[in-house]
Amino acid sequence: MTREWGSIWAPFLASLLLVGWLLEVAAGSSDGTWTVKHEAGRCALKGQCGKKSFFGGQLPCPDNSAAEVPDEDTRKKLVAICGDKWDNGAICCDGDQINSLSTNLKRAESIISSCPACKENFFNLFCTFTCSPNQSLFLNVTDTQKANTGKLIVTELDTLWSDDYGKGFYNSCKDVKFGATGGKAMDFIGGGAKNYTNFLKFLGDTKPFGSPFQINFPRPSSGNFTDMTAADPAARACNDTDEAYRCACVDCPASCPELPKVAEQGACHVGALPCLSFAVIIVYSAFLLLLVTAVAGHIAYQKHSKRKSERLQLLQDAALSEDEDEGDDVRHAGLLEKPQGQYWINSYCDAVFKKLGFVCARFPLITIGASVGVVAVLSIGWVNFAVETDPVRLWVSPSSEAATEKEFFDSNFGPFYRAEQAFLVNDTHSSGPGPVLSYDTLAWWFDLENRVQRFRSMKEGVSLESVCFNPTGKACVVQSITGYFGGSFANVDPDTWREDLRHCTEQPGSQECLPDFQQPLSKDMILGGWQKTDDILDAEALITTWVVNNHPPGSEKEAVAMDWEEMLKNLLQDAQREAKQRGLRLSFSTEISLEQELNKSTNTDAKIVIVSYIIMFLYASLALGSTTLTVKSILHNPAIAMVQSKFTLGVIGILIVLMSVSASVGLFSACGIKVTLIIAEVIPFLVLAVGVDNIFLIVHEFERANLSHPDESVETRVSKALGRMGPSILLSASTETVAFALGAAVGMPAVKNFAAYAAGAVLVNALLQVTMFVSVLSLNQRRVESRRADCFPCIRVGRADTGRHGAQYGYEEEGGLQRFIRKVYAPALFARKVKIAVVVVFLGIFTAGLALLPTVALGLDQRQAFPRDSYLISYFNDLDEYFNTGPPVYFVVKDSDVSERLHQQELCARYSTCHSFSLTNVLEQESKRSDISYITGSTASWIDDFFTWLNPTNEECCKEHGKTCFAGRDPPWNITLYGMPQDGEFLHYLSKWLSSPTNEACPFGGAAPYSNALVVHPNSTKDPVPASHFRTSHTPLRSQSDFISAYASARRIASDVSESQNITVFPYSKFYIFFDQYASIVSLAGILLGSAVFIIFFLTSLLLGSLATGLVVTITVIMIVVAVLGTMALVHVSLNAISLVNLVICVGIGVEFCAHIARAFQFPSNTVLAKAPHHLVGRMARGKDARAWASLVNVGGSVFSGITVTKFLGVAVLAWTRSKIFEVYYFRVWLALVVWAAAHALVFLPVALSLVGGEGYIDPESEGSLEDDLNARRYRGLLSDEDVDSDDY
């Protein structure tokens, strides 16, 4: 629905009557016979001889007499209306005819006056037809009858006009616009004719509201017209070289200047491939070629060396071949070149965390109480907890252009209307969609619309009449097929309704087709699917739109409108069942439907999310217990399970996650930052992903400390465990916190708020883990050593012989997963050939991801945001399929003094001095290339219609003191604008025009179409018109890409006009606010992710003490994100605010996957490193392979069980969500994240570190002291030979 209003179209019935009036002016008494003689200087018609009936018009009588010279008064009248070429010679008309001709041509002038060429040709045709002295040469009377006066009148005739004139006449008028709605004048003067023959036929056909007698326009070549010659005056072209006849660009595309070509964005392709895709594929192919060449060269060199060695019979002291040595272990630690230096930052962090762990373990209750107290204080902020559900405030920065422009538009022109729309579709049959129109269906549809008008809302008791948009004060705006029949089914004739419907769709401006609100109804807005056969009766959908006034959010009037919409929703839901009984389908949407269905979707998804979290909680709690419980130990002593279980420890670890979320929410709620649905659904998931891994690492390291330092106190063992794992937690937590915090600098509230809450939750979670969890861990260990049951510590299990400090029978430092990694997976991964294959495969994945980046679509189809069974899904499907009208777009001009002629010329289009690239001219030109501009239709230009209203030929429009404005004015009104008002006079007439009604007497009044289009301060000396808008329409927009491109195009047009005309113009449409994010989301994603990656590189390099290792971790995270982006392209996940948040999550979790392995590589455990396979020790001088092997063995199991499995279980549950948005943007993306992050962290990262990782450092917790050396030896002593399948101690 357009915001402005079209003029009242009833007066334009005059255009249809015009032909009759003009052809009736040949009147007068004559006793002559029919047209016998066809020669120069002889007439065929003359005078008025009577009517066919009492209500008919005057008809001419045949008169074949000679033309006569008129008197001086008659001559003056003829020249005044028809031009100077009639200032001499005989004519075939009298004074009365000329008076009638003048009156009726002035009525036509109101429709076509904006185009001088069309006006000239139109006037010339009827002046020549009526008064030409050679009338008999091109006119022949073919039938007559007696009139009510007894005289003979003409009822049919033939008139010959040349094809050249017919074409020129039609071409000069076919593009002329008329009225505020931008309709074409041809729809009124030519019945919407598509060629000149149909145009002339429409002019001559007998019809109740047209010609009163039949006028045939045969083609001169179609028959033998004896002695007749076709009239062939020179037709003026709309782009005539004579400026007096040249039409404006808006009415004549041929006279428009050519707009600059628009450079296509992102159109670089090499064949079918985007340039980026082509480039990365070429680079990767070149890499493979070089690799193959290098491998082939290496093999050839090895063979040559072998043959040379054999000839020289040298002893071979080199290391065993790879095939021979991969299964052997190092039996002497002295063979291994261990890291020798220390990194001071790591040593300092180790000491701090060691001391922190000791204090927390020594005073657990105080630590736990303090932690709970701090969280409780932070959680007080929940009193200010508020959820932001307004999409505008979620996706658009308050300082963005779209937000400020929307605020400007709403404050100056009022909020955009509330639209309620329904589709009635005939597609329920197995044969497919079919015609929906039938007499019975129309009867039911009329009844339904009557119910909508009659019913009142439950709370406020208001009806449609109380809330609807009613610009005329006479009728609500309801765009429906019922408007063609006056809104009453009594007007639908069961025998002729099809013909009546055809007539109204072809001539919607006809008086009998106008709805009560007096705006022509376009068939594209009320009928859908007819385009398939181009037959309106084959329409597959009826479309009805109720337009309701909108009001400021939160106002009482808005609440009243929402109450009525609730009634409408309930009524239409009942109607859906009625439609189904008729074999039809009804879909609909109200203004309140969108938010209601989104909330419904959220409530539905909450259950799935909770189930997902519960599964992750249970797994984490049970998996922690597996570190000290084995099947062997349980079978030996089942009671041991009650003591060694760590379920309570796992539950408390999960509670710490929830506490961190609560603290973060409380803190930022207190700061006034609202929670979004994304935050509520994602933050717990994210913190759990980050926190669980840290819990696993701490517990696993503590169990190692129990074994390697059994004689130490619990506090000492806890401090050693935290001293080793604390710096690793610091690395991951700091990089994640800073990476997330960067998002707070983004203007988009959904991302900004998420970043703040995520950073806060991750930071609090890390702090609680190294304090509160460590304290709980020490209490749990004391419980174990005192043989008390898990979950029920008051119960002592006497038979649970846990051994010294919990080391029970069958206790294994390694779980099954860790043993598999050490024995099988890690040795296989670091084989030379496997490493090459890993690099090739993962670089191939990276290449594929980069190649797919250009194919990642932008947008968010709102159908994905609803539950799968939402009634809005079918509505939006029907909207795409059947509604063939695009949304209106307004080009708002502000801070321009339109009372000055210069600024008027920057805006107008219909006058000769308007700038070639004025706003209206540019919009008209852009509509001619709608495939690029997404602009279609004419522009409602208030300034052009205002000046037309001032035209004194429109005698009933502008009147003052009983006289027509500008009549006799000096300078006179003219198309050069130099007779137009300026300054105070301009404002005086503008105010008068805006209050002028649009009625039959004057169709150009501004009250109805433009009362809301201008802001006028008539008493202001500065900027009296601070804002106004010019309305046009977008093409039908079917996809997210269309909406994004349309918004970008409107921005381009406004920017170009602003620059060329030195005025301020911006575009506004209701949907722009939701698509503003896509104007910058690609660059925003690049900046956000790029900044996060830089922070990761800086912090990892700083905390790990190696630029090389920091670079490897950063590159791995980049590869993870690129792989996820490539997967998004393959599984049809678009880039939008939701997926951007997920990409930020990818960075954070990618770091979590990689950080622990990287730190274990930089600071390897001597006890683990001592077990490195022999072939890894000798392969590299600095033992990078051995350190990479040790890092994977040390923490690989925790990464897999702590993050990978936990996340996989949680994500898998989301596959059963009812919401499409969860299935697409969470399930698909998070599953891809888990898979790619695990693969890169557990496969690619260790290999990359073994190749280009930095130099390692001594771990302060295993510095090589006598005790540590003995412990290391004891550790190896626990292991049987690799050939013996026993690890019992």
Side-chain angles (χ1 to χ4, degrees), residues 141-345:
V141 176
T142 58
D143 196 9
T144 62
Q145 73 178 51
K146 283 205 172 183
N148 54 4
T149 61
K151 296 181 181 181
L152 200 65
I153 56 175
V154 175
T155 57
E156 186 172 359
L157 58 80
D158 293 336
T159 178
L160 291 182
W161 293 79
S162 70
D163 290 335
D164 289 341
Y165 183 79
K167 292 177 182 177
F169 181 22
Y170 172 76
N171 289 334
S172 68
C173 297
K174 66 179 182 180
D175 293 308
V176 176
K177 308 300 188 302
F178 173 64
T181 62
K184 288 189 175 183
M186 186 58 65
D187 292 339
F188 302 97
I189 65 173
K194 303 301 182 184
N195 54 59
Y196 77 96
T197 56
N198 289 340
F199 179 28
L200 295 177
K201 183 179 184 300
F202 180 84
L203 292 177
D205 283 347
T206 302
K207 56 180 76 72
F209 299 99
S211 174
F213 63 99
Q214 181 63 37
I215 304 173
N216 301 314
F217 286 88
R219 296 296 85 228
S221 59
S222 64
N224 184 19
F225 301 98
T226 306
D227 299 329
M228 294 181 67
T229 303
D232 190 23
R236 293 290 182 178
C238 66
N239 63 337
D240 203 280
T241 55
D242 188 340
E243 289 292 335
Y245 300 104
R246 189 178 183 88
C247 302
C249 171
V250 67
D251 294 322
C252 178
S255 65
C256 294
E258 184 177 357
L259 292 177
K261 291 186 177 180
V262 178
E264 295 187 19
Q265 300 294 325
C268 179
H269 281 76
V270 179
L273 289 176
C275 290
L276 175 62
S277 305
F278 179 80
V280 296
I281 291 173
I282 291 298
V283 171
Y284 182 66
S285 300
F287 165 75
L288 288 181
L289 181 62
L290 291 175
L291 180 63
V292 171
T293 302
V295 171
H298 176 72
I299 293 174
Y301 176 77
Q302 290 290 340
K303 290 182 178 179
H304 173 73
S305 299
K306 185 176 182 181
R307 286 194 298 270
K308 183 177 180 180
S309 299
E310 289 175 349
R311 287 196 302 268
L312 296 177
Q313 297 182 348
L314 296 176
L315 295 176
Q316 302 297 312
D317 295 329
L320 295 174
S321 67
E322 188 173 305
D323 294 336
E324 295 172 336
D325 65 9
E326 289 186 359
D328 296 333
D329 287 346
V330 176
R331 295 303 178 184
H332 302 285
L335 294 176
L336 179 64
E337 185 177 338
K338 301 178 181 178
Q340 300 299 318
Q342 289 191 358
Y343 183 48
W344 68 272
I345 290 182

Side-chain angles (χ1 to χ4, degrees), residues 18-155:
L18 179 62
V19 175
W21 288 329
L22 292 172
L23 294 174
E24 290 167 15
V25 299
S29 299
S30 177
D31 296 326
T33 59
W34 292 6
T35 315
V36 176
K37 295 181 180 182
H38 297 280
E39 59 186 16
R42 191 167 292 278
C43 302
L45 302 173
K46 198 172 186 182
Q48 296 176 345
C49 296
K51 304 178 181 180
K52 283 185 179 181
S53 64
F54 179 79
F55 296 102
Q58 288 286 339
L59 295 180
C61 51
D63 187 343
N64 201 209
S65 63
E68 299 175 352
V69 177
D71 57 45
E72 184 177 353
D73 185 56
T74 302
R75 176 75 68 185
K76 287 182 179 179
K77 291 179 181 178
L78 180 60
V79 171
I81 189 67
C82 294
D84 291 340
K85 61 178 175 290
W86 297 89
D87 63 356
N88 59 71
I91 59 175
C92 287
C93 56
D94 57 24
D96 292 337
Q97 289 179 276
I98 294 174
N99 288 335
S100 298
L101 181 67
S102 176
T103 301
N104 294 320
L105 284 178
K106 285 184 177 180
R107 293 174 178 172
E109 189 176 11
S110 66
I111 300 176
I112 59 177
S113 62
S114 63
C115 181
C118 177
K119 172 190 171 184
E120 170 65 18
N121 293 332
F122 193 92
F123 277 40
N124 190 30
L125 184 144
F126 285 103
C127 287
T128 302
F129 180 90
T130 305
C131 298
S132 172
N134 302 318
Q135 197 179 62
S136 64
L137 287 177
F138 59 87
L139 193 149
N140 184 54
V141 176
T142 58
D143 196 9
T144 62
Q145 73 178 51
K146 283 205 172 183
N148 54 4
T149 61
K151 296 181 181 181
L152 200 65
I153 56 175
V154 175
T155 57

Side-chain angles (χ1 to χ4, degrees), residues 374-388 613 656-687 752-765 768:
V374 170
V375 171
V377 171
L378 292 176
S379 299
I380 294 176
W382 277 81
V383 297
N384 292 329
F385 178 83
V387 178
E388 184 61 82
Y613 291 155
I656 287 177
V657 171
L658 298 180
M659 289 171 63
S660 64
V661 174
S662 175
S664 181
V665 171
L667 173 63
F668 291 107
S669 293
C671 296
I673 300 177
K674 290 187 177 182
V675 174
T676 67
L677 297 179
I678 293 179
I679 292 173
E681 295 162 347
V682 174
I683 294 296
F685 187 97
L686 172 65
V687 179
K752 183 177 182 177
N753 294 7
F754 162 79
Y757 278 91
V762 169
L763 178 62
V764 173
N765 182 68
L768 290 177

Side-chain angles (χ1 to χ4, degrees), residues 295 337 339 345 452 578 641 799 808 811 857 965 990 1030 1085 1127 1147:
V295 171
E337 185 177 338
I345 290 182
V452 172
E578 298 176 24
R799 291 183 301 167
Q808 79 283 359
Y811 175 83
C965 305
L990 182 64
F1030 294 74
T1127 305
V1147 174

Side-chain angles (χ1 to χ4, degrees), residues 403-425:
T404 55
E405 289 165 357
K406 180 182 185 301
E407 183 180 358
F408 182 89
F409 188 93
D410 290 349
S411 61
N412 285 278
F413 308 115
F416 197 82
Y417 300 117
R418 307 175 70 89
E420 336 292 340
Q421 194 171 57
F423 289 82
L424 183 66
V425 183

Side-chain angles (χ1 to χ4, degrees), residues 1019-1233:
N1019 298 322
S1020 174
T1021 57
K1022 182 181 180 181
D1023 205 10
V1025 186
S1028 65
H1029 67 62
F1030 294 74
R1031 177 184 51 77
T1032 183
S1033 295
H1034 281 301
T1035 56
L1037 306 176
R1038 307 296 188 192
S1039 64
Q1040 294 291 292
S1041 176
D1042 287 346
F1043 280 100
I1044 295 169
S1045 298
Y1047 175 60
S1049 176
R1051 282 280 178 204
R1052 172 187 59 80
I1053 294 170
S1055 176
D1056 290 347
V1057 172
S1058 297
E1059 183 177 352
S1060 66
Q1061 300 301 305
N1062 196 28
I1063 55 178
T1064 303
V1065 180
F1066 70 83
Y1068 175 78
S1069 190
K1070 189 176 182 179
F1071 72 88
Y1072 285 177
I1073 195 74
F1074 303 108
F1075 287 86
D1076 178 71
Q1077 58 177 295
Y1078 302 111
S1080 59
I1081 195 167
V1082 174
S1083 59
L1084 175 62
I1087 294 172
L1088 194 59
L1089 298 178
S1091 301
V1093 165
F1094 175 78
I1095 292 297
I1096 290 170
F1097 172 69
F1098 175 77
L1099 290 178
T1100 52
S1101 299
L1102 178 66
L1103 295 178
L1104 295 179
S1106 171
L1107 290 175
T1109 301
L1111 184 62
V1112 170
V1113 171
T1114 303
I1115 291 175
T1116 304
V1117 172
I1118 293 174
M1119 293 175 69
I1120 292 171
V1121 174
V1122 169
V1124 172
L1125 279 167
T1127 305
M1128 286 170 56
L1130 293 176
V1131 299
H1132 308 295
V1133 178
S1134 302
L1135 178 61
N1136 49 51
I1138 297 175
S1139 50
L1140 179 56
V1141 169
N1142 279 332
L1143 289 175
V1144 175
I1145 292 175
C1146 289
V1147 174
I1149 294 185
V1151 171
E1152 184 70 18
F1153 268 94
C1154 299
H1156 304 303
I1157 292 177
R1159 187 180 182 281
F1161 171 80
Q1162 282 298 112
F1163 306 97
S1165 169
N1166 283 342
T1167 54
V1168 178
L1169 192 61
K1171 299 187 298 175
H1174 179 267
H1175 71 280
L1176 297 181
V1177 175
R1179 184 177 295 167
M1180 300 187 68
R1182 295 178 181 175
K1184 290 182 181 179
D1185 283 48
R1187 286 192 287 123
W1189 178 92
S1191 67
L1192 192 58
V1193 170
N1194 192 20
V1195 298
S1198 297
V1199 170
F1200 181 81
S1201 59
I1203 298 183
T1204 307
V1205 178
T1206 306
K1207 293 297 99 200
F1208 183 81
L1209 292 175
V1211 169
V1213 177
L1214 298 181
W1216 282 272
T1217 179
R1218 292 174 57 202
S1219 172
K1220 191 70 175 177
I1221 198 169
F1222 252 74
E1223 190 267 325
V1224 172
Y1225 290 97
Y1226 294 109
F1227 173 69
R1228 295 181 189 179
V1229 175
W1230 286 353
L1231 182 61
L1233 169 61

